[in-house]
Amino acid sequence: MSQGSNFVDYVKICCRSGRGGAGSAHLHRDILTSKGGPDGGDGGRGGHVILKGNSQLWTLLHLKYRKHVIAGDGESGGSSLRSGKTGRDEFLEVPLGTIARDAETGEVLFEITADGQTEILTSGGRGGLGNWHFKSSTQQTPRFAQPGETGQEQWMILELKVLADVGLVGFPNAGKSTLLSVVSAAKPEIADYAFTTLVPNLGIVSYRDNRSFVMADIPGIIEGASQGKGLGLRFLRHIERNSVLLFMVPADTNRTIEQEYNILLSELEDYNPELMHKPRILAISKSDVLDEELMEEMKQELPAGVPYVFISSVAQKGLQELKDLLWKSIV
């Protein structure tokens, strides 16, 4: 399978909940009773369409080709106050970080953030009341009952936003995938051409005292990504769920470090100004090509107020210092 074929972060599905069962209008009759009172039971609730969080999932691939989700109808009530059976609920398991929104209005309904968390996507119709609910002193034998409510049918959008402690932000070929492959067990595609990363990659980074944190390699941003250029607009939403943003700028950039950092920062701000409140760390990658004198000169031109570290994933340089900075920002 190609790199992008097994990662799906957006699906649109039609959800139809079940119809509620009708209430019963039964009157009690048996061998000893010829004119008994009302004993019709209530109809069963229609089935819900429910989202359930599953921490073992990381993509919406299993829902990509499932365009219609239909829950079961509730059964009608019976005699002797017997209630109808509740309709079958339809559960859709989704990865953590999945947002549900109404396809017509765009309204965000809820977000799945915990393993086992359940949220109703479309509610089943209520079952109708049996005729025993309507008896009174003036109407002792009601011969009517409520019908069940119809279910809901709506188009819904499920959108995955990757949950990670650290999000890697940088232009293509900044060394993000290489860093992730070195500090974790993840094996993202690495090559010397732009946009080798076509989907977000997650890796668990080991830290001191058996601690760890999750790092996400987001596909490369380019200038103008917030207006839809390149791949950036599609994947910028994944950065919203990261606790810390690690900006990566290669030491051999054609611009200055500060210029490249400011362009990346501007793209994030144009996309979502709230991203400016997240902690930021600057990593100057590929620094194995720098000598001490050149490194000192570059330090004078770095953006003010941003913690920074010179690293080289290939030479294993500065990686522990980087982990220390990230851990302090996370906790």
Side-chain angles (χ1 to χ4, degrees):
M1 298 177 71
S2 65
Q3 184 186 31
S5 62
N6 62 351
F7 181 84
V8 176
D9 58 359
Y10 179 99
V11 294
K12 185 177 180 180
I13 56 177
C14 182
C15 300
R16 190 174 79 194
S17 57
R19 180 189 182 94
S24 171
H26 189 267
L27 299 176
H28 178 64
R29 299 287 186 271
D30 61 26
I31 193 170
L32 300 177
T33 307
S34 59
K35 294 184 178 180
D39 69 346
D42 300 339
R45 169 185 62 79
H48 301 318
V49 177
I50 301 173
L51 290 193
K52 183 177 181 180
N54 185 339
S55 60
Q56 301 301 312
L57 295 176
W58 67 284
T59 174
L60 297 172
L61 175 65
H62 59 295
L63 300 177
K64 181 177 181 180
Y65 301 106
R66 188 176 182 184
K67 292 302 180 184
H68 296 273
V69 179
I70 302 174
D73 293 334
E75 295 183 359
S76 300
S79 59
S80 301
L81 302 181
R82 288 178 298 185
S83 296
K85 185 178 179 181
T86 298
R88 170 185 48 80
D89 292 331
E90 190 69 29
F91 286 87
L92 300 178
E93 294 196 337
V94 294
L96 307 189
T98 299
I99 290 176
R101 66 172 75 240
D102 189 303
E104 292 186 6
T105 65
E107 177 190 2
V108 174
L109 304 177
F110 53 81
E111 179 180 3
I112 300 294
T113 58
D115 188 41
Q117 176 187 350
T118 57
E119 299 285 350
I120 296 175
L121 197 57
T122 52
S123 300
R126 290 185 300 177
L129 298 178
N131 63 345
W132 74 277
H133 285 280
F134 305 106
K135 64 182 179 180
S136 67
S137 58
T138 57
Q139 186 171 250
Q140 297 183 359
T141 55
R143 288 175 168 81
F144 60 87
Q146 283 184 337
E149 288 186 352
T150 58
Q152 303 175 16
E153 184 169 347
Q154 290 176 279
W155 280 93
M156 296 291 184
I157 290 173
L158 303 182
E159 185 178 270
L160 173 61
K161 295 185 178 183
V162 168
L163 291 169
D165 298 305
V166 178
L168 301 180
V169 182
F171 288 109
N173 283 357
K176 302 187 301 298
S177 297
T178 304
L179 174 64
L180 186 66
S181 68
V182 170
V183 299
S184 75
K187 300 301 178 187
E189 184 176 344
I190 300 170
D192 59 356
Y193 55 86
F195 298 118
T196 51
T197 301
L198 299 178
V199 300
N201 291 299
L202 294 178
I204 298 176
V205 181
S206 298
Y207 189 60
R208 307 176 194 270
D209 302 324
N210 294 321
R211 292 173 292 185
S212 63
F213 55 88
V214 178
M215 181 178 286
D217 173 19
I218 309 298
I221 301 171
I222 65 170
E223 193 170 0
S226 57
Q227 281 75 50
K229 294 183 180 179
L231 300 174
L233 183 63
R234 178 181 175 188
F235 296 110
L236 276 172
R237 64 174 173 267
H238 294 295
I239 298 176
E240 294 178 321
R241 289 298 181 268
N242 301 151
S243 301
V244 180
L245 301 181
L246 176 59
F247 287 76
M248 292 191 63
V249 179
D252 58 357
T253 176
N254 294 326
R255 309 180 181 96
T256 67
I257 302 294
E258 185 174 19
Q259 286 175 339
E260 190 149 328
Y261 170 80
N262 287 335
I263 293 172
L264 292 168
L265 197 62
S266 177
E267 291 300 326
L268 296 188
E269 185 175 18
D270 289 344
Y271 175 73
N272 184 353
E274 293 184 5
L275 293 174
M276 297 300 98
H277 302 300
K278 292 183 179 292
R280 301 191 293 270
I281 293 174
L282 175 61
I284 297 89
S285 60
K286 306 179 184 179
S287 62
D288 52 311
V289 300
L290 304 176
D291 56 29
E292 291 296 328
E293 183 179 352
L294 187 54
M295 197 176 298
E296 289 299 322
E297 290 181 9
M298 294 181 68
K299 288 180 181 180
Q300 308 304 317
E301 301 175 354
L302 297 179
V306 182
Y308 65 87
V309 59
F310 287 84
I311 67 169
S312 171
S313 302
V314 175
Q316 303 279 305
K317 175 184 176 182
L319 298 185
Q320 189 57 52
E321 183 182 354
L322 174 62
K323 291 182 183 180
D324 291 338
L325 280 176
L326 293 171
W327 185 260
K328 289 177 183 178
S329 300
I330 294 169
V331 298

